[in-house]
Amino acid sequence: MKDIKVGIIGGTGGMGLWFADLLKKEGYTVHVSGRKTKLTSAELAQICNVVVISVPISATAEVIKQVGPLLNQDQLLMDLTSLKIEPLNLMLAHSAAEVIGCHPLFGPGVLESKGQNVVLCSGRGSNWYPWLKGIFDKNSFNVLERTAARHDEMMSIVQVLNHLNTISLGLALSETGHPQDEISQFSTPVFRAKLDIVKKLFTESPGLYAEIIAGNPATEKILDTYEHVIREIRAALRSNGSTGLKDMMEKAAKKIF
Ligand SMILES: NC(=O)c1ccc[n+]([C@@H]2O[C@H](COP(=O)([O-])OP(=O)(O)OC[C@H]3O[C@@H](n4cnc5c(N)ncnc54)[C@H](OP(=O)(O)O)[C@@H]3O)[C@@H](O)[C@H]2O)c1
């Protein structure tokens, strides 16, 4: 199995680079392509047994449509996209290859693989799936085998709701008009931790988070829930002050924890 060649489109940066390192550590030959590499994605597809798509979400559909038709049924086409329904359907529609959707639930900077979650969505074929799962199992990742629909539904909570909350905090902060250095002077440890998360989202890769939110089929529903909750908080405070809000929180705590 070690003479398998893996090609990662988008392997020059971010998650593609992370996956390239993991596979090289496992002894596989890895080729990478990006928009500036000498090796083109089409050439990579011709020399590799496994082709991985790890480009920004906005470029994923186009890359799958370009590369998918170049692969045959003995090859594996897989992706690392943070959304799963659309890329998986596109890979199935535009290629004869075996297909697997994969989403590592962490960023490229993760140092310890043990216990990190990886979602695998089986698409087509059964020859390559055990190979891929075996690599994650061997490295102590926690593999969740789910459908693309289930993945996207759960990501509407873990990513869409979560990131919307962070983005709302950042946007509301900027609307207050208070300068950052004044806010910092009065900050608490919890507030500093939250501000670090806002800074990461707003300055490191805002495009990725915007695409994760815009591309999830459940985002409208999550936005409705978010708006509803804010209205409920206002109503509870107006009618019952702190008791109203405390009651809401205690009721929710019983449901969640
Ligand atoms: N970052 C995360 O925390 C994270 C976590 C899990 C999953 N993901 C998923 O991983 C995928 C990649 O995200 P990332 O954060 O790793 O992105 P990234 O850091 O921006 O890296 C994207 C890579 O794709 C290449 N690229 C961009 N456009 C391309 C195109 N049209 N054709 C070929 N290559 C292209 C880039 O190289 P050039 O610019 O040189 O072309 C680069 O190598 C996304 O689907 C994302 O949802 C990300």
Side-chain angles (χ1 to χ4, degrees):
M1 282 298 249
K2 293 287 179 186
D3 56 358
I4 290 169
K5 291 193 192 78
V6 182
I8 306 179
I9 303 176
T12 56
M15 288 311 283
L17 193 56
W18 164 82
F19 197 45
D21 287 345
L22 175 69
L23 292 169
K24 280 185 206 160
K25 188 171 73 78
E26 288 300 308
Y28 298 105
T29 303
V30 180
H31 297 282
V32 297
S33 70
R35 287 166 301 180
K36 301 166 210 111
T37 51
K38 197 160 165 263
L39 181 73
T40 66
S41 300
E43 287 165 349
L44 172 147
Q46 266 139 23
I47 58 169
C48 293
N49 314 88
V50 176
V51 173
V52 185
I53 314 279
S54 184
V55 298
I57 295 174
S58 55
T60 298
E62 195 193 323
V63 171
I64 291 173
K65 285 178 197 168
Q66 278 171 359
V67 171
L70 306 174
L71 305 183
N72 63 49
Q73 59 188 23
D74 296 329
Q75 289 169 289
L76 169 66
L77 178 60
M78 61 172 284
D79 74 322
L80 301 181
T81 319
S82 304
L83 296 161
K84 289 274 65 84
I85 297 175
E86 199 196 354
L88 197 72
N89 286 341
L90 285 169
M91 289 192 290
L92 289 169
H94 291 273
S95 181
E98 292 205 4
V99 168
I100 302 171
C102 173
H103 182 200
L105 300 182
F106 47 84
V110 73
L111 298 174
E112 171 68 49
S113 56
K114 195 170 176 347
Q116 298 290 353
N117 297 325
V118 176
V119 180
L120 291 184
C121 306
S122 176
R124 179 169 55 226
S126 53
N127 290 323
W128 285 103
Y129 193 89
W131 169 78
L132 182 62
K133 184 172 182 299
I135 291 169
F136 288 124
D137 284 342
K138 185 175 168 224
N139 284 278
S140 304
F141 287 95
N142 181 33
V143 177
L144 293 159
E145 300 176 87
R146 297 291 188 276
T147 63
R150 181 67 175 158
H151 166 275
D152 285 8
E153 185 191 355
M154 294 315 292
M155 285 309 111
S156 77
I157 308 287
V158 173
Q159 296 201 305
V160 175
L161 177 60
N162 179 19
H163 299 326
L164 273 175
N165 180 267
T166 304
I167 292 166
S168 304
L169 175 60
L171 294 179
L173 264 176
S174 91
E175 289 226 353
T176 66
H178 283 288
Q180 161 76 35
D181 53 355
E182 191 196 355
I183 295 174
S184 296
Q185 280 175 31
F186 287 85
S187 67
T188 61
V190 170
F191 185 79
R192 276 196 292 279
K194 287 194 175 175
L195 209 56
D196 283 346
I197 300 172
V198 171
K199 191 174 177 189
K200 181 177 155 59
L201 257 72
F202 279 51
T203 61
E204 281 181 24
S205 40
L208 171 65
Y209 298 100
E211 286 171 0
I212 285 172
I213 291 169
N216 193 299
T219 290
E220 278 291 332
K221 197 173 139 203
I222 294 293
L223 279 168
D224 288 345
T225 305
Y226 208 78
E227 283 177 3
H228 167 77
V229 165
I230 298 283
R231 278 196 301 275
E232 291 279 297
I233 291 172
R234 190 196 287 272
L237 283 169
R238 278 184 178 160
S239 58
N240 277 319
S242 67
T243 310
L245 186 55
K246 182 175 80 72
D247 289 349
M248 274 180 82
M249 290 164 71
E250 285 175 351
K251 226 164 129 189
K254 277 195 192 124
K255 273 167 97 177
I256 316 172
F257 306 112

